[in-house]
């Protein structure tokens, strides 16, 4: 929950930047391959210059490496950063000298108690364990959030089946965690009303209540854990749930063949499979 006018001002600024970057990203997807490659290489050079100038840890590890005119094909020559590296060297890795891991963890503690807010009035702090079991604490500013969100929006829009039409402000049912420590919870708080009207139903919700919420919301799209989408499809096929989503997106869990088949039977649509990493970008597929 956003708690004061300054938080709302920051949220609006984030969404304005996301909308602007989404238009730019969608336009780039229509560029020729050589033009996209040139753009990617130029941005890679800007990124490496930035982290070398602003991060003590990256500056040390990039010392002695020729960074003149880097290309995406050169990435294998660069040293990697693991989640454990981030965990153990956080204060030297971040590019904002005012932000420390101690401050970030205190902010994360306040989210559990008070709901979503922006740290220091300007950045989003997230925590994730992921498949490694090593906790990542991430700090994303306006441009970082906009880059992730706009790429998702642009790619999803251009990769949809051509006959799929959605309202200008679709209703999206999110069958996933509410906790704002997680990327899904934070994005719902930031993007509510801008990308769609989100109805978030956590996995702990009793099935009768979940059915009532979805029946009332009549979502245009659904995104959630595969196990949740599976249960929703079962309820629809049993005649207890009456919704007609145009998109069903699996995220956070493997999309099993039987779940894909149930979604097709229940709603007459092909499930979209979505993989996202809080630390980076995403992958998606509309087909098995």
């Amino acid at each position: 929950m956003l708690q004061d006018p300054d938080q709302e001002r920051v949220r609006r600024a984030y969404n304005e930047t996301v909308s602007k970057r989404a238009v730019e990203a969608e336009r780039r997807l229509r560029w020729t391959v050589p033009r996209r490659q040139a753009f990617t290489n130029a941005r890679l050079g800007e990124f490496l210059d930035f982290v070398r100038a602003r991060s003590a840890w990256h500056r040390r590890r990039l010392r002695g490496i020729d960074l003149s005119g880097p290309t995406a094909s050169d990435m294998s020559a660069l040293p990697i950063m693991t989640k454990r590296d981030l965990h153990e060297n956080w204060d030297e890795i971040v590019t904002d000298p005012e932000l420390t891991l101690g401050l970030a963890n205190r902010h994360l503690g306040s989210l559990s108690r008070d709901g979503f807010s922006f740290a220091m009035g300007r950045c989003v702090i997230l925590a994730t364990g992921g498949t490694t079991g090593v906790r990542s604490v991430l700090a994303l500013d306006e441009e970082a959030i906009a880059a992730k969100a706009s790429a998702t929006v642009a790619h999803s829009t251009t990769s949809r089946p051509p006959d799929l039409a959605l309202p200008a402000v679709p209703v999206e049912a999110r069958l996933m965690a509410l906790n704002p420590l997680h990327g899904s919870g934070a994005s719902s708080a930031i993007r509510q009303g801008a990308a769609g009207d989100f109805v978030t139903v956590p996995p702990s919700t009793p099935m009768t209540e979940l059915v009532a919420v979805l029946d009332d919301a009549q979502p245009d799209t659904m995104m959630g854990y595969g196990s949740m989408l599976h249960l929703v499809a079962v309820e629809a096929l049993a005649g207890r749930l009456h919704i007609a989503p145009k998109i069903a997106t699996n995220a956070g869990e493997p999309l099993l063949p039987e779940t894909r088949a149930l979604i097709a039977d229940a709603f007459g649509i092909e499930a979209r499979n979505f993989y996202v990493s809080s630390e980076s970008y995403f992958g998606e597929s509309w087909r098995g």
Side-chain angles (χ1 to χ4, degrees):
M1 180 180 296
L2 298 169
Q3 296 153 343
D4 58 55
D6 187 60
Q7 296 284 316
E8 181 59 26
R9 178 190 58 77
V10 177
R11 190 185 79 89
R12 285 198 303 271
Y14 268 57
N15 284 317
E16 288 169 3
T17 304
V18 169
S19 298
K20 179 180 178 182
R21 297 289 180 268
V23 172
E24 296 168 353
E26 188 172 338
R27 185 176 66 248
R28 287 195 297 273
L29 287 173
R30 296 184 172 88
W31 286 355
T32 63
V33 171
R35 189 179 180 189
R36 285 204 305 270
Q37 290 175 335
F39 176 84
T40 299
N41 294 336
R43 291 301 299 269
L44 175 61
E46 293 170 10
F47 170 75
L48 291 172
D49 286 343
F50 179 84
V51 296
R52 186 167 55 178
R54 300 284 295 271
S55 165
W57 190 83
H58 283 294
R59 185 161 52 249
R60 284 198 303 273
R61 77 182 193 130
L62 293 172
R63 186 177 295 133
I65 297 176
D66 182 11
L67 298 179
S68 59
T71 68
S73 60
D74 298 329
M75 291 293 286
S76 60
L78 299 175
I80 65 171
M81 180 177 70
T82 67
K83 290 180 71 173
R84 190 165 296 281
D85 287 333
L86 177 61
H87 181 73
E88 295 175 355
N89 302 279
W90 209 89
D91 288 1
E92 285 197 303
I93 288 174
V94 295
T95 57
D96 184 340
E98 296 182 29
L99 189 58
T100 65
L101 183 58
L103 190 153
N105 280 325
R106 287 194 295 276
H107 178 77
L108 289 172
S110 75
L111 299 186
S112 298
R113 183 183 63 250
D114 303 325
F116 177 81
S117 65
F118 295 96
M120 302 161 62
R122 64 177 184 267
C123 64
V124 177
I125 306 289
L126 303 173
T128 176
T131 55
T132 67
V134 177
R135 175 180 167 98
S136 282
V137 175
L138 310 170
L140 306 175
D141 64 9
E142 180 180 328
E143 284 293 338
I145 287 285
K148 287 170 66 73
S150 62
T152 305
V153 170
H155 190 271
S156 297
T157 300
T158 55
S159 64
R160 285 177 191 162
D163 58 345
L164 193 155
L166 292 174
V169 182
V171 176
E172 179 173 305
R174 293 195 162 192
L175 311 175
M176 52 183 56
L178 277 170
N179 195 325
L181 273 70
H182 303 154
S184 56
S187 67
S188 293
I190 297 170
R191 299 287 283 153
Q192 175 68 43
D197 288 329
F198 299 136
V199 178
T200 304
V201 190
S204 57
T205 306
M207 186 54 64
T208 53
E209 182 180 335
L210 184 148
V211 167
V213 170
L214 294 182
D215 268 339
D216 181 64
Q218 288 298 303
D220 301 293
T221 70
M222 293 191 301
M223 173 180 280
Y225 308 132
S227 54
M228 292 289 287
L229 294 173
H230 190 104
L231 293 173
V232 166
V234 168
E235 293 299 298
L237 287 170
R240 293 184 291 268
L241 174 65
H242 305 90
I243 60 174
K246 296 180 175 64
I247 296 175
T249 302
N250 171 75
E253 292 179 351
L255 178 58
L256 302 178
E258 52 266 40
T259 298
R260 189 185 289 275
L262 274 176
I263 291 169
D265 289 343
F267 306 115
I269 57 177
E270 189 170 13
R272 172 180 172 231
N273 202 9
F274 193 80
Y275 175 84
V276 64
S277 167
S278 298
E279 296 91 342
S280 57
Y281 283 141
F282 62 93
E284 68 170 338
S285 171
W286 284 89
R287 296 173 178 82

